[in-house]
Amino acid sequence: MYTDLKDKVVVVTGGSKGLGRAMAIRFGQEQSKVVVNYRSNEEEALEVKKEIEEAGGQAIIVRGDVTKEEDVVNLVETAVKEFGTLDVMINNAGVENPVPSHELSLENWNQVIDTNLTGAFLGSREAIKYFVENDIKGNVINMSSVHEMIPWPLFVHYAASKGGMKLMTETLALEYAPKGIRVNNIGPGAIDTPINAEKFADPEQRADVESMIPMGYIGNPEEIASVAAFLASSQASYVTGITLFADGGMTKYPSFQAGRG
Ligand code: BGC
């Protein structure tokens, strides 16, 4: 637990499912004031709100699609209106789907780039604008992936969005460091979340992915949420412009394990 996160206002996009849900609940446990953004499933968002409140935090839910500029503007405005300020913006909403690149439609490409990269840009921009105008040493955390550095066939749109997020975060970190605003990425590996549910429910596919993870297991959402809590806390006060990989070693060239090569 990080005592300085108590009463901090934290926005989590895509907060009703998967990593977003785990992070929203973790900030609830930290006694933060959590704004749970969701796009479609109000029931799931209300469930997360309830869990946050049971853990001792406060929460509101706000519907919004991160690809829509007015929705992201409204999200930050609502956070400030309801909880009085903004301290931490977590741009987590993301989508992925496999398609051979030569068959990928422009529509599908745009959908993934708009959600993962442009959505994170809009969230970062709105949060940073608020921080600058109100002289707040705030914090932006973007949910990237091991695929900001590992190429991923069939997922060219996803890999491009995460690769873009790497330099977006580094650039924003550099630009706003003089104001004490920190901007970082989290780079999860393979984690048990709804986005992966089908793939990991198949024992063969699950074993195949596990074989690519030096630590030998697929991560839990809570293991990502604890990274978010650390980055948001003052314990990470000198950390900006990084991607903190939480991937069981997936980015460390596991095929070279045991001296191969
Ligand atoms: C993706 C997962 C994938 C993992 C490792 C993540 O960014 O969301 O579907 O299993 O990377 O490849």
Side-chain angles (χ1 to χ4, degrees), residues 19 95-96 143-148 150-152 155 158 162 187-191 193 195-197 199-200 209 212-213 218 247 250:
L19 299 180
V95 289
E96 69 183 62
M143 192 53 70
S144 183
S145 162
V146 291
H147 297 296
E148 71 165 49
I150 304 178
W152 202 15
F155 292 86
Y158 184 80
K162 300 302 182 180
I191 312 293
T193 58
I195 219 174
N196 294 311
K199 180 167 65 178
F200 295 159
V209 172
M212 298 161 74
I213 306 169
I218 288 165
D247 66 351
M250 199 179 215

Tab-separated table of all heavy atoms in Angstrom, residues 19 95-96 143-148 150-152 155 158 162 187-191 193 195-197 199-200 209 212-213 218 247 250, ligand 1:
chain	number	residue	atom	x	y	z
A	19	LEU	N	-7.504	-5.487	-17.146
A	19	LEU	CA	-6.485	-4.744	-16.401
A	19	LEU	C	-7.062	-3.465	-15.809
A	19	LEU	O	-6.697	-3.062	-14.705
A	19	LEU	CB	-5.298	-4.410	-17.321
A	19	LEU	CG	-4.547	-5.602	-17.914
A	19	LEU	CD1	-3.397	-5.123	-18.800
A	19	LEU	CD2	-4.014	-6.508	-16.809
A	95	VAL	N	-7.868	-2.423	-27.657
A	95	VAL	CA	-8.486	-3.536	-28.383
A	95	VAL	C	-7.416	-4.240	-29.230
A	95	VAL	O	-6.387	-3.656	-29.552
A	95	VAL	CB	-9.632	-3.057	-29.319
A	95	VAL	CG1	-10.835	-2.606	-28.515
A	95	VAL	CG2	-9.169	-1.928	-30.247
A	96	GLU	N	-7.696	-5.488	-29.572
A	96	GLU	CA	-6.798	-6.218	-30.477
A	96	GLU	C	-7.584	-7.304	-31.202
A	96	GLU	O	-8.585	-7.805	-30.678
A	96	GLU	CB	-5.631	-6.854	-29.705
A	96	GLU	CG	-6.030	-7.998	-28.796
A	96	GLU	CD	-4.859	-8.558	-27.986
A	96	GLU	OE1	-4.286	-7.788	-27.188
A	96	GLU	OE2	-4.539	-9.745	-28.143
A	143	MET	N	-1.220	2.292	-20.825
A	143	MET	CA	-1.107	0.841	-20.872
A	143	MET	C	-0.577	0.426	-22.230
A	143	MET	O	-1.292	0.405	-23.221
A	143	MET	CB	-2.475	0.202	-20.605
A	143	MET	CG	-2.401	-1.282	-20.351
A	143	MET	SD	-1.225	-1.735	-19.039
A	143	MET	CE	-2.070	-1.101	-17.582
A	144	SER	N	0.721	0.147	-22.262
A	144	SER	CA	1.334	-0.312	-23.504
A	144	SER	C	1.332	-1.834	-23.505
A	144	SER	O	0.356	-2.464	-23.082
A	144	SER	CB	2.742	0.285	-23.625
A	144	SER	OG	3.330	-0.085	-24.836
A	145	SER	N	2.430	-2.438	-23.930
A	145	SER	CA	2.487	-3.899	-24.076
A	145	SER	C	3.926	-4.297	-24.345
A	145	SER	O	4.737	-3.458	-24.771
A	145	SER	CB	1.618	-4.301	-25.269
A	145	SER	OG	1.940	-5.605	-25.716
A	146	VAL	N	4.211	-5.575	-24.171
A	146	VAL	CA	5.510	-6.069	-24.657
A	146	VAL	C	5.643	-5.797	-26.150
A	146	VAL	O	6.754	-5.722	-26.685
A	146	VAL	CB	5.690	-7.584	-24.399
A	146	VAL	CG1	5.843	-7.867	-22.909
A	146	VAL	CG2	4.567	-8.420	-24.998
A	147	HIS	N	4.490	-5.643	-26.828
A	147	HIS	CA	4.514	-5.410	-28.276
A	147	HIS	C	4.801	-3.956	-28.642
A	147	HIS	O	4.630	-3.566	-29.784
A	147	HIS	CB	3.227	-5.924	-28.923
A	147	HIS	CG	3.105	-7.401	-28.746
A	147	HIS	ND1	3.996	-8.278	-29.310
A	147	HIS	CD2	2.260	-8.149	-27.995
A	147	HIS	CE1	3.684	-9.511	-28.940
A	147	HIS	NE2	2.645	-9.465	-28.132
A	148	GLU	N	5.289	-3.167	-27.685
A	148	GLU	CA	5.880	-1.895	-28.099
A	148	GLU	C	7.320	-2.162	-28.529
A	148	GLU	O	7.945	-1.331	-29.167
A	148	GLU	CB	5.808	-0.816	-26.999
A	148	GLU	CG	6.723	-1.034	-25.820
A	148	GLU	CD	6.887	0.205	-24.962
A	148	GLU	OE1	5.872	0.834	-24.597
A	148	GLU	OE2	8.046	0.559	-24.646
A	150	ILE	N	8.278	-5.943	-29.199
A	150	ILE	CA	8.287	-7.245	-29.893
A	150	ILE	C	7.349	-7.183	-31.104
A	150	ILE	O	6.144	-6.950	-30.934
A	150	ILE	CB	7.817	-8.392	-28.959
A	150	ILE	CG1	8.672	-8.459	-27.688
A	150	ILE	CG2	7.855	-9.727	-29.705
A	150	ILE	CD1	8.220	-9.544	-26.694
A	151	PRO	N	7.870	-7.385	-32.318
A	151	PRO	CA	6.977	-7.412	-33.494
A	151	PRO	C	5.985	-8.561	-33.346
A	151	PRO	O	6.304	-9.591	-32.737
A	151	PRO	CB	7.930	-7.687	-34.663
A	151	PRO	CG	9.307	-7.512	-34.139
A	151	PRO	CD	9.270	-7.696	-32.666
A	152	TRP	N	4.761	-8.388	-33.928
A	152	TRP	CA	3.735	-9.413	-33.704
A	152	TRP	C	2.931	-9.653	-34.977
A	152	TRP	O	1.964	-8.935	-35.251
A	152	TRP	CB	2.802	-8.962	-32.568
A	152	TRP	CG	2.063	-10.083	-31.904
A	152	TRP	CD1	2.319	-11.425	-31.977
A	152	TRP	CD2	0.931	-9.959	-31.023
A	152	TRP	NE1	1.432	-12.128	-31.203
A	152	TRP	CE2	0.577	-11.254	-30.605
A	152	TRP	CE3	0.201	-8.866	-30.545
A	152	TRP	CZ2	-0.491	-11.501	-29.740
A	152	TRP	CZ3	-0.856	-9.104	-29.676
A	152	TRP	CH2	-1.200	-10.402	-29.276
A	155	PHE	N	-0.888	-8.968	-35.997
A	155	PHE	CA	-1.339	-7.877	-35.118
A	155	PHE	C	-0.590	-6.586	-35.475
A	155	PHE	O	-0.154	-5.862	-34.597
A	155	PHE	CB	-1.084	-8.236	-33.656
A	155	PHE	CG	-1.932	-9.373	-33.123
A	155	PHE	CD1	-1.529	-10.689	-33.292
A	155	PHE	CD2	-3.131	-9.127	-32.467
A	155	PHE	CE1	-2.307	-11.745	-32.798
A	155	PHE	CE2	-3.908	-10.171	-31.967
A	155	PHE	CZ	-3.489	-11.486	-32.140
A	158	TYR	N	-2.038	-3.508	-33.890
A	158	TYR	CA	-1.818	-3.468	-32.440
A	158	TYR	C	-0.356	-3.108	-32.128
A	158	TYR	O	-0.088	-2.216	-31.311
A	158	TYR	CB	-2.171	-4.844	-31.861
A	158	TYR	CG	-2.100	-4.944	-30.366
A	158	TYR	CD1	-3.138	-4.467	-29.566
A	158	TYR	CD2	-1.004	-5.522	-29.728
A	158	TYR	CE1	-3.084	-4.577	-28.182
A	158	TYR	CE2	-0.941	-5.634	-28.350
A	158	TYR	CZ	-1.984	-5.160	-27.588
A	158	TYR	OH	-1.933	-5.265	-26.223
A	162	LYS	N	1.161	0.231	-30.165
A	162	LYS	CA	1.976	0.189	-28.943
A	162	LYS	C	3.369	0.776	-29.187
A	162	LYS	O	3.933	1.443	-28.318
A	162	LYS	CB	2.068	-1.250	-28.419
A	162	LYS	CG	0.718	-1.871	-28.058
A	162	LYS	CD	-0.040	-1.076	-27.002
A	162	LYS	CE	-1.358	-1.743	-26.629
A	162	LYS	NZ	-2.104	-0.997	-25.608
A	187	GLY	N	4.197	-2.070	-19.520
A	187	GLY	CA	4.273	-3.016	-20.636
A	187	GLY	C	3.975	-4.433	-20.165
A	187	GLY	O	4.892	-5.204	-19.868
A	188	PRO	N	2.687	-4.780	-20.101
A	188	PRO	CA	2.363	-6.157	-19.661
A	188	PRO	C	2.729	-7.173	-20.741
A	188	PRO	O	2.718	-6.865	-21.940
A	188	PRO	CB	0.841	-6.135	-19.474
A	188	PRO	CG	0.428	-4.713	-19.548
A	188	PRO	CD	1.473	-4.012	-20.355
A	189	GLY	N	3.024	-8.371	-20.296
A	189	GLY	CA	3.143	-9.508	-21.212
A	189	GLY	C	1.794	-10.188	-21.325
A	189	GLY	O	0.759	-9.528	-21.462
A	190	ALA	N	1.804	-11.497	-21.281
A	190	ALA	CA	0.546	-12.260	-21.386
A	190	ALA	C	-0.111	-12.332	-20.007
A	190	ALA	O	0.472	-12.861	-19.064
A	190	ALA	CB	0.848	-13.654	-21.902
A	191	ILE	N	-1.305	-11.784	-19.930
A	191	ILE	CA	-2.016	-11.696	-18.645
A	191	ILE	C	-3.405	-12.315	-18.824
A	191	ILE	O	-4.022	-12.182	-19.883
A	191	ILE	CB	-2.176	-10.215	-18.204
A	191	ILE	CG1	-0.851	-9.430	-18.309
A	191	ILE	CG2	-2.759	-10.127	-16.789
A	191	ILE	CD1	0.246	-9.847	-17.367
A	193	THR	N	-6.782	-12.046	-18.889
A	193	THR	CA	-7.840	-11.027	-18.935
A	193	THR	C	-8.853	-11.441	-20.002
A	193	THR	O	-8.556	-12.302	-20.829
A	193	THR	CB	-7.272	-9.638	-19.313
A	193	THR	OG1	-6.633	-9.760	-20.592
A	193	THR	CG2	-6.296	-9.119	-18.294
A	195	ILE	N	-9.619	-10.132	-22.740
A	195	ILE	CA	-9.113	-9.974	-24.110
A	195	ILE	C	-8.450	-11.273	-24.583
A	195	ILE	O	-8.408	-11.592	-25.761
A	195	ILE	CB	-8.134	-8.760	-24.186
A	195	ILE	CG1	-8.315	-7.979	-25.490
A	195	ILE	CG2	-6.695	-9.154	-24.053
A	195	ILE	CD1	-7.483	-6.693	-25.577
A	196	ASN	N	-7.922	-12.032	-23.615
A	196	ASN	CA	-7.203	-13.271	-23.929
A	196	ASN	C	-7.970	-14.528	-23.552
A	196	ASN	O	-7.435	-15.637	-23.677
A	196	ASN	CB	-5.869	-13.310	-23.162
A	196	ASN	CG	-4.915	-12.238	-23.619
A	196	ASN	OD1	-4.701	-12.092	-24.819
A	196	ASN	ND2	-4.353	-11.489	-22.694
A	197	ALA	N	-9.197	-14.377	-23.061
A	197	ALA	CA	-9.909	-15.500	-22.429
A	197	ALA	C	-10.002	-16.712	-23.353
A	197	ALA	O	-9.695	-17.840	-22.953
A	197	ALA	CB	-11.284	-15.052	-21.967
A	199	LYS	N	-8.240	-17.510	-26.045
A	199	LYS	CA	-6.917	-18.087	-26.347
A	199	LYS	C	-6.396	-18.925	-25.168
A	199	LYS	O	-5.961	-20.049	-25.345
A	199	LYS	CB	-5.972	-16.929	-26.674
A	199	LYS	CG	-4.563	-17.303	-27.007
A	199	LYS	CD	-3.795	-16.125	-27.635
A	199	LYS	CE	-3.582	-14.943	-26.699
A	199	LYS	NZ	-2.810	-13.852	-27.319
A	200	PHE	N	-6.508	-18.377	-23.964
A	200	PHE	CA	-5.916	-19.070	-22.822
A	200	PHE	C	-6.811	-20.178	-22.266
A	200	PHE	O	-6.380	-20.972	-21.437
A	200	PHE	CB	-5.529	-18.070	-21.721
A	200	PHE	CG	-4.448	-17.107	-22.134
A	200	PHE	CD1	-4.280	-15.897	-21.476
A	200	PHE	CD2	-3.582	-17.408	-23.192
A	200	PHE	CE1	-3.283	-15.003	-21.856
A	200	PHE	CE2	-2.591	-16.519	-23.595
A	200	PHE	CZ	-2.445	-15.316	-22.925
A	209	VAL	N	1.914	-20.325	-25.063
A	209	VAL	CA	2.271	-18.974	-24.587
A	209	VAL	C	3.149	-19.080	-23.341
A	209	VAL	O	4.154	-18.376	-23.210
A	209	VAL	CB	0.999	-18.125	-24.333
A	209	VAL	CG1	1.353	-16.803	-23.670
A	209	VAL	CG2	0.254	-17.874	-25.642
A	212	MET	N	6.751	-19.269	-23.744
A	212	MET	CA	7.461	-18.054	-24.160
A	212	MET	C	7.739	-17.128	-22.980
A	212	MET	O	8.214	-15.998	-23.160
A	212	MET	CB	6.610	-17.293	-25.191
A	212	MET	CG	6.354	-18.088	-26.459
A	212	MET	SD	4.939	-17.406	-27.355
A	212	MET	CE	5.681	-15.923	-28.019
A	213	ILE	N	7.400	-17.592	-21.777
A	213	ILE	CA	7.555	-16.731	-20.596
A	213	ILE	C	8.588	-17.364	-19.656
A	213	ILE	O	8.324	-18.422	-19.073
A	213	ILE	CB	6.197	-16.577	-19.855
A	213	ILE	CG1	5.128	-16.081	-20.831
A	213	ILE	CG2	6.341	-15.656	-18.658
A	213	ILE	CD1	3.717	-16.152	-20.274
A	218	ILE	N	1.331	-17.369	-16.930
A	218	ILE	CA	0.599	-16.203	-17.423
A	218	ILE	C	0.240	-15.329	-16.223
A	218	ILE	O	-0.229	-15.837	-15.200
A	218	ILE	CB	-0.630	-16.688	-18.221
A	218	ILE	CG1	-0.119	-17.268	-19.551
A	218	ILE	CG2	-1.647	-15.578	-18.448
A	218	ILE	CD1	-1.091	-18.105	-20.303
A	247	ASP	N	6.241	-8.696	-17.307
A	247	ASP	CA	6.017	-9.702	-18.361
A	247	ASP	C	6.646	-11.054	-18.071
A	247	ASP	O	6.777	-11.877	-18.983
A	247	ASP	CB	6.543	-9.157	-19.699
A	247	ASP	CG	8.061	-8.984	-19.685
A	247	ASP	OD1	8.683	-9.110	-18.605
A	247	ASP	OD2	8.636	-8.733	-20.760
A	250	MET	N	9.261	-11.991	-20.639
A	250	MET	CA	8.953	-12.248	-22.055
A	250	MET	C	9.788	-11.415	-23.030
A	250	MET	O	10.084	-11.848	-24.137
A	250	MET	CB	7.468	-11.963	-22.279
A	250	MET	CG	6.899	-12.596	-23.512
A	250	MET	SD	5.133	-12.186	-23.594
A	250	MET	CE	4.487	-13.685	-24.316
B	1	BGC	C1	-1.693	-8.904	-25.679
B	1	BGC	C2	-1.942	-10.355	-25.371
B	1	BGC	C3	-0.707	-11.180	-25.645
B	1	BGC	C4	0.502	-10.578	-24.974
B	1	BGC	C5	1.789	-11.337	-25.292
B	1	BGC	C6	-0.445	-8.425	-24.988
B	1	BGC	O1	-0.200	-7.101	-25.314
B	1	BGC	O2	-2.804	-8.133	-25.243
B	1	BGC	O3	-3.026	-10.827	-26.148
B	1	BGC	O4	-0.891	-12.514	-25.178
B	1	BGC	O5	0.656	-9.236	-25.371
B	1	BGC	O6	1.930	-11.589	-26.653
